[in-house]
Each structure stands twice: as C-alpha cells, then as structure tokens.
Amino acid sequence: AAEGVYGRHIGEAKNVLQHFVRARPNWAGAHFWLGRVLEKQGIYDASAEHLEKAVELNPVMYEAASRAAQVHLKQENWSSALRCGILAWTVNKSLTGIRDRVSEAVIDLIKNGLKQENVSSQCWELLETLDVLFQREELQEHSLRSEVRELLAQRKVSDFKS
C-alpha cells in the first residue's frame, strides 16, 4: 500500500524538486532528492547527473555518491560506478558494501570478457584502479583483492604469450 501512495505522489515530488533545483541550483539536497526520484522512475541518466551534482556541491554527501554509483551499476557504466563508489567510500569508510558491489561488478565484467576473449583496456584500467585502492587502504587480505590479483596475473601471462 505504501508503494502505491509513493507511486501516486512521485510525479508531484519530481515537479516540486525540479522547481527547487531551478530556484536554488546550488542546493545539494534538492539535486540529491531529485536524483532519487528520477532513479525511482527509471530515468537513470538524469538521476546520475543530479546525484553527481549533489556531490559536486557538497563533497561530503557520500549518500549521493553511493546512490550515483548504484545508478551507474544499473546502467553498466563501470568507470563512473567505480569513480562514484570510491568517492563515497573515501568519505565514509563504513560504506564497504558499495565498494564491494562495484568491485564485484568490475570483476564479473572482466571474467565474462575473458571467457569471450574480449576485455577492453578500460576494463583492465578499472581492475588496476581497484588493486591500488585495496593496496592503499591496506586490504591485502580482502577476498576481492585476491580475485583482482589473480585476474591481473592472468593478464600478464596472456600478454607474455602474445
């Protein structure tokens, strides 16, 4: 029942928030909530844009960075998801869930690409970024770091064979 009520009022909320964004374009809160409403409506490009604007206006608004990362994951926009996920996690170290979800998505992308022998250089760069992140944050024992290291080792072996 609550979902139905929310659904009926989401259009009104969107209109009000769009008004606030026009009236006060430097208010991070309006961009954050408009981004959330747009995400609920499945308008992911605009949602990510407003969530990232909220972070630009208020760099410690890790909730916006975390939501933007999740929206980018839905769109399979891996580099933006990683960028926003790292930003959210850098601001709030307790957000290990978003760090791990983004890491898992990048790892899965590369594993699937390896099966098809089709991994772009951008994917490898993302994996190297994850490796640096895990190293910098002293997460050498993290299970995802082990997967990252294994994949990077596979790349070196395949590059050597080429």
Side-chain angles (χ1 to χ4, degrees), residues 20 25 36 49-50 91 142 150 155:
F20 279 133
R36 293 297 310 269
E49 183 180 315
H50 284 285
V91 174
H142 196 288
E150 285 174 27
R155 178 186 187 192

PDB file of all heavy atoms in Angstrom, residues 20 25 36 49-50 91 142 150 155:
ATOM      1  N   PHE A  20      12.663  23.475  -7.142  1.00  0.00           N
ATOM      2  CA  PHE A  20      13.720  23.839  -6.201  1.00  0.00           C
ATOM      3  C   PHE A  20      15.079  23.913  -6.886  1.00  0.00           C
ATOM      4  O   PHE A  20      15.870  24.821  -6.614  1.00  0.00           O
ATOM      5  CB  PHE A  20      13.797  22.836  -5.046  1.00  0.00           C
ATOM      6  CG  PHE A  20      12.781  23.065  -3.964  1.00  0.00           C
ATOM      7  CD1 PHE A  20      12.037  22.000  -3.481  1.00  0.00           C
ATOM      8  CD2 PHE A  20      12.568  24.312  -3.422  1.00  0.00           C
ATOM      9  CE1 PHE A  20      11.101  22.184  -2.480  1.00  0.00           C
ATOM     10  CE2 PHE A  20      11.634  24.527  -2.421  1.00  0.00           C
ATOM     11  CZ  PHE A  20      10.899  23.453  -1.950  1.00  0.00           C
ATOM     12  N   PRO A  25      19.854  26.444  -7.648  1.00  0.00           N
ATOM     13  CA  PRO A  25      20.688  25.442  -8.328  1.00  0.00           C
ATOM     14  C   PRO A  25      21.903  24.981  -7.521  1.00  0.00           C
ATOM     15  O   PRO A  25      22.488  23.948  -7.840  1.00  0.00           O
ATOM     16  CB  PRO A  25      21.120  26.144  -9.619  1.00  0.00           C
ATOM     17  CG  PRO A  25      20.934  27.598  -9.359  1.00  0.00           C
ATOM     18  CD  PRO A  25      19.843  27.727  -8.355  1.00  0.00           C
ATOM     19  N   ARG A  36      17.102  10.918  -6.648  1.00  0.00           N
ATOM     20  CA  ARG A  36      16.450   9.718  -6.084  1.00  0.00           C
ATOM     21  C   ARG A  36      15.092   9.478  -6.746  1.00  0.00           C
ATOM     22  O   ARG A  36      14.741   8.349  -7.076  1.00  0.00           O
ATOM     23  CB  ARG A  36      16.267   9.857  -4.574  1.00  0.00           C
ATOM     24  CG  ARG A  36      17.529   9.887  -3.738  1.00  0.00           C
ATOM     25  CD  ARG A  36      18.351   8.610  -3.822  1.00  0.00           C
ATOM     26  NE  ARG A  36      17.595   7.397  -3.602  1.00  0.00           N
ATOM     27  CZ  ARG A  36      17.404   6.791  -2.438  1.00  0.00           C
ATOM     28  NH1 ARG A  36      17.941   7.296  -1.352  1.00  0.00           N
ATOM     29  NH2 ARG A  36      16.691   5.674  -2.356  1.00  0.00           N
ATOM     30  N   GLU A  49      23.082  12.311 -13.101  1.00  0.00           N
ATOM     31  CA  GLU A  49      23.523  13.698 -13.263  1.00  0.00           C
ATOM     32  C   GLU A  49      23.225  14.516 -12.004  1.00  0.00           C
ATOM     33  O   GLU A  49      24.085  15.249 -11.514  1.00  0.00           O
ATOM     34  CB  GLU A  49      22.806  14.301 -14.475  1.00  0.00           C
ATOM     35  CG  GLU A  49      23.217  15.704 -14.812  1.00  0.00           C
ATOM     36  CD  GLU A  49      22.458  16.225 -16.036  1.00  0.00           C
ATOM     37  OE1 GLU A  49      22.335  15.484 -17.030  1.00  0.00           O
ATOM     38  OE2 GLU A  49      21.993  17.371 -15.960  1.00  0.00           O
ATOM     39  N   HIS A  50      22.015  14.383 -11.473  1.00  0.00           N
ATOM     40  CA  HIS A  50      21.649  15.163 -10.279  1.00  0.00           C
ATOM     41  C   HIS A  50      22.352  14.648  -9.024  1.00  0.00           C
ATOM     42  O   HIS A  50      22.770  15.448  -8.172  1.00  0.00           O
ATOM     43  CB  HIS A  50      20.134  15.176 -10.083  1.00  0.00           C
ATOM     44  CG  HIS A  50      19.454  16.108 -11.031  1.00  0.00           C
ATOM     45  ND1 HIS A  50      19.475  17.479 -10.884  1.00  0.00           N
ATOM     46  CD2 HIS A  50      18.764  15.865 -12.172  1.00  0.00           C
ATOM     47  CE1 HIS A  50      18.819  18.042 -11.879  1.00  0.00           C
ATOM     48  NE2 HIS A  50      18.382  17.085 -12.678  1.00  0.00           N
ATOM     49  N   VAL A  91      34.894   9.039   1.550  1.00  0.00           N
ATOM     50  CA  VAL A  91      34.286   9.962   2.514  1.00  0.00           C
ATOM     51  C   VAL A  91      33.795   9.218   3.752  1.00  0.00           C
ATOM     52  O   VAL A  91      33.921   9.688   4.863  1.00  0.00           O
ATOM     53  CB  VAL A  91      33.129  10.762   1.862  1.00  0.00           C
ATOM     54  CG1 VAL A  91      32.400  11.600   2.892  1.00  0.00           C
ATOM     55  CG2 VAL A  91      33.668  11.636   0.747  1.00  0.00           C
ATOM     56  N   HIS A 142      41.599  -8.949   1.847  1.00  0.00           N
ATOM     57  CA  HIS A 142      40.212  -8.945   1.374  1.00  0.00           C
ATOM     58  C   HIS A 142      40.063  -9.956   0.233  1.00  0.00           C
ATOM     59  O   HIS A 142      40.898 -10.019  -0.669  1.00  0.00           O
ATOM     60  CB  HIS A 142      39.834  -7.537   0.909  1.00  0.00           C
ATOM     61  CG  HIS A 142      38.369  -7.317   0.756  1.00  0.00           C
ATOM     62  ND1 HIS A 142      37.656  -7.872  -0.269  1.00  0.00           N
ATOM     63  CD2 HIS A 142      37.494  -6.619   1.504  1.00  0.00           C
ATOM     64  CE1 HIS A 142      36.390  -7.513  -0.157  1.00  0.00           C
ATOM     65  NE2 HIS A 142      36.270  -6.751   0.919  1.00  0.00           N
ATOM     66  N   GLU A 150      44.558 -12.168  -8.989  1.00  0.00           N
ATOM     67  CA  GLU A 150      44.553 -13.329  -9.895  1.00  0.00           C
ATOM     68  C   GLU A 150      44.274 -12.905 -11.334  1.00  0.00           C
ATOM     69  O   GLU A 150      44.922 -13.382 -12.272  1.00  0.00           O
ATOM     70  CB  GLU A 150      43.503 -14.343  -9.444  1.00  0.00           C
ATOM     71  CG  GLU A 150      43.900 -15.137  -8.219  1.00  0.00           C
ATOM     72  CD  GLU A 150      42.778 -16.032  -7.724  1.00  0.00           C
ATOM     73  OE1 GLU A 150      41.922 -16.442  -8.544  1.00  0.00           O
ATOM     74  OE2 GLU A 150      42.753 -16.318  -6.520  1.00  0.00           O
ATOM     75  N   ARG A 155      46.284 -11.622 -16.864  1.00  0.00           N
ATOM     76  CA  ARG A 155      46.559 -10.685 -17.955  1.00  0.00           C
ATOM     77  C   ARG A 155      48.042 -10.696 -18.304  1.00  0.00           C
ATOM     78  O   ARG A 155      48.410 -10.713 -19.476  1.00  0.00           O
ATOM     79  CB  ARG A 155      46.128  -9.272 -17.561  1.00  0.00           C
ATOM     80  CG  ARG A 155      46.434  -8.269 -18.653  1.00  0.00           C
ATOM     81  CD  ARG A 155      46.151  -6.866 -18.252  1.00  0.00           C
ATOM     82  NE  ARG A 155      46.300  -5.982 -19.382  1.00  0.00           N
ATOM     83  CZ  ARG A 155      46.337  -4.678 -19.277  1.00  0.00           C
ATOM     84  NH1 ARG A 155      46.200  -4.113 -18.106  1.00  0.00           N
ATOM     85  NH2 ARG A 155      46.487  -3.925 -20.345  1.00  0.00           N
TER      86      ARG A 155
END
